């Protein structure tokens, strides 16, 4: 798949010309430029989830079971047609395919991001959620390897607020709202050098674990 800056501009300008929603624009970028699958997600209002279940365990924070995933590589036109079937859906990304996630508290994530960039280490996209978490995109397989990696680095503290999300998990992506708490946003936006090939977890883990530990002290 080819990715160009011109392609990004075309998606964004095309969306403005046609009056497409910000969610639709984001989905087209994610599928067409970064090679990510996207799932339409539930929304919530006054604690009621749009999935229709009165006993929903995660209102506004899960994919819609009845909505098909928009696959990586989908064009702007294909995205517009698919997303039009579920107007107002949240943008959700399935984890474990193109990337895994390392999750830490947002304050620790912000401090770690500054350190990582200062050291010149490769960093992929990073998302901040309205419930105070930071999601670092890393190469697939990280979640399964995380306990062993932490142990080998000397970070086998069970109370360490650092977790891996892998296959079966979904994260809410900007510009969508999560669980009625507010929108998620980028701490570090996707870029050509990192979105399609996120860094190996081991390159970030020492800094993330150190900052998470210091934040707890």
């Amino acid at each position: 798949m080819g990715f160009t800056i011109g392609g990004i501009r075309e998606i964004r300008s095309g969306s403005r010309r046609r009056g497409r929603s910000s969610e639709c624009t984001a989905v087209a970028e994610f599928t067409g430029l970064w090679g990510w699958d996207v799932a339409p997600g539930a929304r919530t209002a006054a604690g009621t989830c749009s999935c229709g279940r009165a006993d929903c365990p995660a209102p506004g924070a899960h994919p819609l079971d009845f909505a098909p995933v928009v696959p990586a590589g989908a064009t702007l036109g294909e995205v517009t047609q698919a997303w039009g079937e579920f107007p107002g859906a949240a943008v959700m990304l399935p984890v474990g395919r193109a990337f895994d996630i390392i999750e830490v508290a947002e304050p620790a994530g912000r401090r770690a991001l500054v350190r990582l960039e200062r050291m010149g280490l490769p960093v992929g996209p990073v998302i901040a959620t309205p419930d105070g978490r930071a999601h670092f995109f890393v190469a697939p397989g990280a979640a399964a390897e995380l306990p062993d990696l932490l142990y080998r680095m000397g970070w086998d503290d069970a109370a360490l607020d650092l977790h891996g999300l892998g296959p079966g998990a979904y994260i809410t992506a900007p510009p969508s709202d999560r669980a009625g708490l507010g929108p998620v946003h980028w701490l570090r936006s996707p870029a050509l050098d990192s979105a399609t090939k996120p860094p190996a977890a081991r390159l970030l883990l020492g800094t993330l674990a150190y900052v998470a530990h210091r934040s707890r002290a």
Side-chain angles (χ1 to χ4, degrees):
M1 182 186 302
F3 302 95
T4 65
I5 296 299
I8 297 174
R9 289 173 180 156
E10 174 59 27
I11 283 180
R12 290 174 176 163
S13 64
S15 295
R16 287 194 296 269
R17 288 196 304 270
R18 298 173 181 85
R20 293 185 175 93
S21 70
S22 57
E23 282 83 2
C24 190
T25 305
V27 174
E29 290 188 13
F30 298 161
T31 61
L33 296 173
W34 313 132
W36 300 338
D37 295 339
V38 180
R43 299 271 195 171
T44 186
T48 300
C49 188
S50 63
C51 70
R53 289 181 54 187
D55 61 343
C56 178
H62 66 87
L64 294 169
D65 294 338
F66 49 81
V69 168
V70 182
T75 65
L76 178 59
E78 291 167 340
V79 166
T80 300
Q81 182 176 358
W83 216 253
E85 298 293 323
F86 307 97
V91 179
M92 302 201 75
L93 305 177
V95 183
R97 301 179 187 180
F99 56 84
D100 277 10
I101 293 291
I102 295 179
E103 179 189 86
V104 297
E106 182 183 345
R110 287 179 179 274
R111 289 193 288 273
L113 182 57
V114 171
R115 284 174 173 264
L116 290 165
E117 291 181 331
R118 187 180 297 151
M119 291 186 289
L121 292 172
V123 184
V126 185
I127 283 174
T129 72
D131 55 345
R133 309 298 293 173
H135 292 159
F136 284 74
F137 287 50
V138 292
E145 300 171 356
L146 192 60
D148 185 56
L149 284 172
L150 287 171
Y151 180 79
R152 283 189 279 136
M153 290 180 174
W155 296 104
D156 55 344
D157 182 355
L160 190 67
D161 186 8
L162 187 155
H163 311 281
L165 303 178
Y170 289 79
I171 60 169
T172 304
S176 292
D177 175 279
R178 182 171 178 83
L181 300 174
V184 301
H185 63 274
W186 296 112
L187 292 182
R188 193 173 193 272
S189 299
L192 292 174
D193 63 346
S194 62
T196 58
K197 292 183 178 180
R202 60 181 174 78
L203 299 176
L204 313 183
L205 202 51
T207 299
L208 288 170
Y210 173 78
V211 175
H213 173 74
R214 292 285 296 175
S215 298
R216 190 171 56 103

